[in-house]
Amino acid sequence: EFENLLGLAGDRVGGDFSSRGSGSHGDSSGGDGGRRMLDEITADTVAGKAEEVLKLNPDNRCVKYLLEMKNEGTLPTEAADLARLYACAKTGLENVDSGLGCYAMDPKDYDDLALFFDKVCNDYHNNPAGDKTHVTNWSLEGVEGLPEGGVLDMREIGMTDELSMRVRVGRNLTTFPLPGAMTKADRVNFEKTMQAAFDVLIKDEAYGGQVFSMTPNDVWKEVTGDEENPNLITTEKYDELVAAHVMFKDMAADPFLASAGIASDWPCGRGCYQSADGGFIIWFGEEDQLRIMCMAKGFLLNDVFDRLNTALKYVEGIDGIDFATSGKYGYVTSCPSNLGTGMRASVHVKVPNLTSDGTDLKAKEAAKPLGLSVRGTGGEHTPIGADGTIDLSPSNRLFITEAEIITKLYNGIKLLMEKEAAAGAAAPAAEEAAPVEEAAPAEEAAPAEEAPAEA
């Protein structure tokens, strides 16, 4: 049965960070059994499973385009080629509710498996003719819609409270597989490769800082030959870093990442670097090999963008660091949704009038036409702040420049604040227009209900 092939070819089990030694979400190093099961997967079994999934979720792009390839006669028939495509598509076949349903396993997959990935990417990134090519450009010179001088001062559009700003990009090196295809040894060797780069940053007074690693000592020794991981932290320190939004959480709870192999071997090869001032962070071993970010509180959007741009150039200038790119898609990322800039730029904005009903529905309705996404303050699928604070970010990553992203964020905040002010002005008018109901006699009044504790 196809489900049995899926399970045997890439079974993942849960675990806990405190479990030391073997990697608590399964050993991704593979074996003859796993390879035999992959050899038994045929174009017909893949297409059959894709048909089942598509009936349950017509919006699953992965299975939609696998079937299109099957009908075109372009689905690979050679075992090695099909196994490579299957590894990328596995998460969409296992998780019916996938929207994209695929992850690249190697930086070259977007070129070598273009018959599949072009279909997915052109659909997701609104490129129906397939004629767009990504361009990288951080310069604000000549970008329309910016204030004179290009200084993005949020006080000029009426902001009175400092904004929490964060900009991050996904990056991967050319010299390693992408996280879904990494073995445990790959993950640890990647960490050691990055340690050399982190040493350069730490010695530079402009950065300084330290590395926090989760790779257990026995695994470190097994792979590197060194007795101890010099940067190993305790579980207590890990929890502290997660609470401070400096470190990422165990990815095993995400079924999409687990199916793709990205969550395997936890906590081996996972950790982060943080600069001395706390504002520059590099995660290693997450969905992409690297998630590089800057964060700050203030009024000038330029500050975090400029710092990140400078830091990216600095990091890639270090020996042994070569970021993977595609001629068509820009910077390569595991998930096709992040291709191009690989960037997510976000700010926390207070919109109490648009969230007066306790939800972010009105904020999302106002933000969507502006090309902006709304999340809770803790990220996707988290609640908004009690004071009406939302996380706001541009939706696009690909076929848009870095300069256009910051422009879209600046103008989007400006227009959203206008909608927030309009919502505030409309509330009193609605109250005045509402008919006044005659108060019920005291003895007939219903008892007041106690507000829930979380309100």
Side-chain angles (χ1 to χ4, degrees), residues 12-27 184 216 250 252 263-268:
R12 309 297 178 196
V13 297
D16 187 274
F17 174 50
S18 61
S19 299
R20 304 285 181 168
S22 63
S24 53
H25 301 332
D27 187 344
K184 182 168 62 178
D250 183 350
S264 298
D265 307 310
W266 183 271
C268 302

Side-chain angles (χ1 to χ4, degrees), residues 140-168:
L140 293 177
E141 291 184 16
V143 177
E144 295 183 2
L146 293 181
E148 188 175 350
V151 177
L152 308 181
D153 189 338
M154 306 311 295
R155 288 169 293 198
E156 296 297 321
I157 60 174
M159 305 294 289
T160 56
D161 296 326
E162 285 188 323
L163 297 177
S164 174
M165 305 175 287
R166 179 187 289 239
V167 185
R168 62 87 169 149

Side-chain angles (χ1 to χ4, degrees), residues 91 95 103 250-263 286-287 380-381:
T91 187
N95 298 285
Y103 289 95
D250 183 350
M251 297 173 286
D254 187 318
F256 308 106
L257 297 180
S259 292
I262 293 172
E286 212 240 13
E287 181 180 301
E380 197 168 10
H381 308 308

